[in-house]
Amino acid sequence: VDTLTHVIIMSLPLLLALLCVVSVCAGSPLLYALPGVDHEHAVALLGQGVDIRGSYGQSEIFTLALFANQSSLPKSTHVLIGELATDHEVLILEEVKDSAVLMSQCSKILDGMFCRQDACVFVVSPGMHGSLGGCLTPEVNLVTMPPRAISPPRAFAPPQQQGSSVRSIPIPDLLPLVSLQTLSENLITLTNFHTRQSQSTQAVQAAGFLQGEFSKFGWNATQIPFRTGFSSNVIAEIKGNVDPSKIIIVGAHYDSRAANVNSPTDRAPGANDDGSGTAVLLELARIFGTQPSARLPVTLQLAAFSGEEQGLIGSTAYANSLKDRGANVIAMIQADMVAMNPTSDLRISLVTRATTPELTAAIDAVIRKYLPQVVVGRSTACCSDQQPFFNNGFPAAFLLESASDPDYHKVTDVINRPNYSVELIRATAQIAIASVATLATE
């Protein structure tokens, strides 16, 4: 989805109308709607942790599992955000016993429905909300809730290093070191895992592979669990030699998914999503870890996240932990899906949604200075692991391919296919290296 046309919410008058036909009864399923959330707030909320994500036509809908402090709200509160035409409504139904039966009962009323475990999302046509009471059995309890406050974005400014101990990094000498062969070898290893779905045994094995590769190049690499049953985030770090309290993070997600996001057994090679970004991390690990001239004055972290496909779960946990301990993250750069390139020239997009404009502009300037052969564009695409960092007030940017991927979330997301470009992945790694070195020293 490249544009967010509107955030679809149930207005208060419609909620009252629905209450007239749907009884409120204790112990029954909960039907949630959210009035009064503006566009900017809704977009920002996406990074708080997507619980259910599904497609409707050319649009996508998200629900967010939030944990409210208000005693009047359920312990597990949901906020619904939809990317739909303005004349549709979206609702969540919890505690669903049999989604197939529910669909058969409501198919004539609903334009669309998708479910996860015991919760379902409804897409309701104009004027049909009042008919829901006739198909929902048992009757439901309609609950409304306020939006959750999020941290305002922090203004971005490149670190100002003091003193002669800070030397410049020879960026033009580092960029040719990015190897097509090494990238290709790592992509083959990543896609040889039958799946890297976050809850699969192969994802655990992939985490071990990444930790081993980071450690091999001298990084302090650790696996950080964030949820039972999920493979861990893998965080690699090299401390800065002048001001180690300042942190630059380059991120990607190593988990993959098939059409069924919850299947730990379906084949999911994820060569582009996000094997491409993960390969970028491995190449940065090799170059920053082995080149003495690439030693940075600030701390650099490479973050390979899990749980992205289930709703930015791993990155949300890690970004929240950094915020909680007061970490000074001066920049977070995400690389997610950077392999599709159907044109003769190399094209990359800088995402403008849930990112910091000043950091995005700084990376744009780096590309134009050091990689003028790369065509730089903008995208409003959603969603990736930079969002929880942005929502926690950290400057964030997102590198993304300019072309859409026809094999997105399919078993055919492999390396050997039309328009899959290891050259674009190499250019993305070069952009990341030049951006990190520039942000760390200028």
Side-chain angles (χ1 to χ4, degrees):
V1 177
D2 291 329
T3 59
L4 181 61
T5 56
H6 275 281
V7 176
I8 306 306
I9 56 174
M10 178 70 83
S11 65
L12 186 56
L14 291 176
L15 292 174
L16 294 175
L18 185 56
L19 277 171
C20 294
V21 297
V22 182
S23 300
V24 177
C25 50
S28 62
L30 302 177
L31 186 63
Y32 293 132
L34 179 66
V37 176
D38 61 34
H39 175 275
E40 181 179 358
H41 194 168
V43 171
L45 274 169
L46 286 175
Q48 295 289 348
V50 176
D51 188 39
I52 305 177
R53 174 175 177 168
S55 297
Y56 171 72
Q58 298 300 311
S59 303
E60 292 196 68
I61 304 171
F62 307 85
T63 71
L64 306 170
L66 305 180
F67 299 92
N69 295 323
Q70 296 92 332
S71 59
S72 60
L73 297 179
K75 290 183 179 179
S76 178
T77 303
H78 285 75
V79 173
L80 182 63
I81 295 171
E83 299 180 351
L84 291 171
T86 56
D87 58 352
H88 282 74
E89 300 160 8
V90 282
L91 302 168
I92 304 170
L93 183 67
E94 281 202 325
E95 301 177 20
V96 175
K97 302 301 182 184
D98 191 326
S99 59
V101 171
L102 183 64
M103 175 58 85
S104 66
Q105 291 173 340
C106 300
S107 60
K108 294 182 180 179
I109 297 172
L110 302 177
D111 265 14
M113 184 180 89
F114 50 90
C115 301
R116 179 203 49 77
Q117 297 177 352
D118 63 346
C120 292
V121 172
F122 293 163
V123 180
V124 186
S125 299
M128 296 301 293
H129 63 276
S131 302
L132 281 173
C135 74
L136 297 178
T137 304
E139 296 174 321
V140 301
N141 179 18
L142 183 64
V143 180
T144 62
M145 63 209 70
R148 173 182 173 178
I150 61 172
S151 300
R154 181 194 305 175
F156 168 76
Q160 300 298 313
Q161 306 292 351
Q162 303 295 327
S164 59
S165 58
V166 176
R167 54 174 175 73
S168 62
I169 305 297
I171 295 173
D173 296 336
L174 296 178
L175 301 188
L177 300 178
V178 179
S179 166
L180 286 174
Q181 179 178 345
T182 305
L183 286 167
S184 297
E185 291 171 352
N186 284 326
L187 286 164
I188 290 171
T189 299
L190 290 168
T191 55
N192 278 345
F193 290 103
H194 179 75
T195 179
R196 302 187 307 278
Q197 196 266 357
S198 302
Q199 296 149 296
S200 68
T201 57
Q202 291 91 343
V204 175
Q205 295 167 4
F209 162 72
L210 293 171
Q211 183 181 18
E213 289 297 295
F214 292 145
S215 299
K216 180 173 72 176
F217 297 121
W219 295 71
N220 178 18
T222 57
Q223 294 192 40
I224 303 178
F226 58 88
R227 180 176 290 190
T228 301
F230 281 69
S231 61
S232 299
N233 292 330
V234 184
I235 309 298
E237 180 180 86
I238 290 182
K239 292 285 189 183
N241 58 12
V242 176
D243 191 350
S245 67
K246 294 178 179 177
I247 304 169
I248 296 174
I249 300 173
V250 182
H253 70 90
Y254 71 90
D255 65 309
S256 63
R257 60 165 287 184
N260 179 2
V261 67
N262 295 313
S263 173
T265 57
D266 290 351
R267 172 70 170 140
N272 188 20
D273 186 16
D274 184 26
S276 59
T278 306
V280 168
L281 295 187
L282 290 170
E283 196 65 345
L284 265 64
R286 184 179 68 84
I287 292 173
F288 279 111
T290 61
Q291 299 299 312
S293 63
R295 185 69 190 274
L296 299 175
V298 303
T299 295
L300 177 60
Q301 291 186 356
L302 303 178
F305 298 113
S306 180
E308 193 272 353
E309 298 291 5
Q310 288 72 37
L312 314 179
I313 301 173
S315 56
T316 296
Y318 188 60
N320 289 349
S321 71
L322 292 174
K323 177 68 176 295
D324 291 344
R325 70 174 188 249
N328 184 15
V329 177
I330 62 173
M332 191 281 174
I333 304 170
Q334 177 76 358
D336 189 354
M337 299 184 67
V338 291
M340 279 292 102
N341 198 74
T343 60
S344 58
D345 50 12
L346 296 175
R347 295 177 177 267
I348 197 74
S349 290
L350 290 163
V351 175
T352 58
R353 182 187 299 190
T355 55
T356 306
E358 295 84 357
L359 178 57
T360 298
I363 295 174
D364 189 319
V366 165
I367 298 171
R368 296 177 191 278
K369 179 177 180 179
Y370 292 105
L371 293 107
Q373 73 277 17
V374 176
V375 179
V376 187
R378 294 291 190 272
S379 171
T380 58
C382 171
C383 309
S384 196
D385 293 309
Q386 93 289 345
Q387 293 184 200
F389 290 85
F390 176 80
N391 290 341
N392 274 292
F394 299 128
F398 178 8
L399 293 165
L400 174 71
E401 61 202 19
S402 293
S404 60
D405 187 346
D407 298 293
Y408 177 62
H409 293 167
K410 296 180 181 178
V411 69
T412 47
D413 182 4
V414 295
I415 303 167
N416 296 318
R417 57 185 168 108
N419 302 325
Y420 188 96
S421 172
V422 182
E423 288 81 5
L424 183 61
I425 301 174
R426 177 176 63 179
T428 304
Q430 292 171 328
I431 291 168
I433 290 170
S435 298
V436 167
T438 300
L439 295 170
T441 57
E442 293 184 0

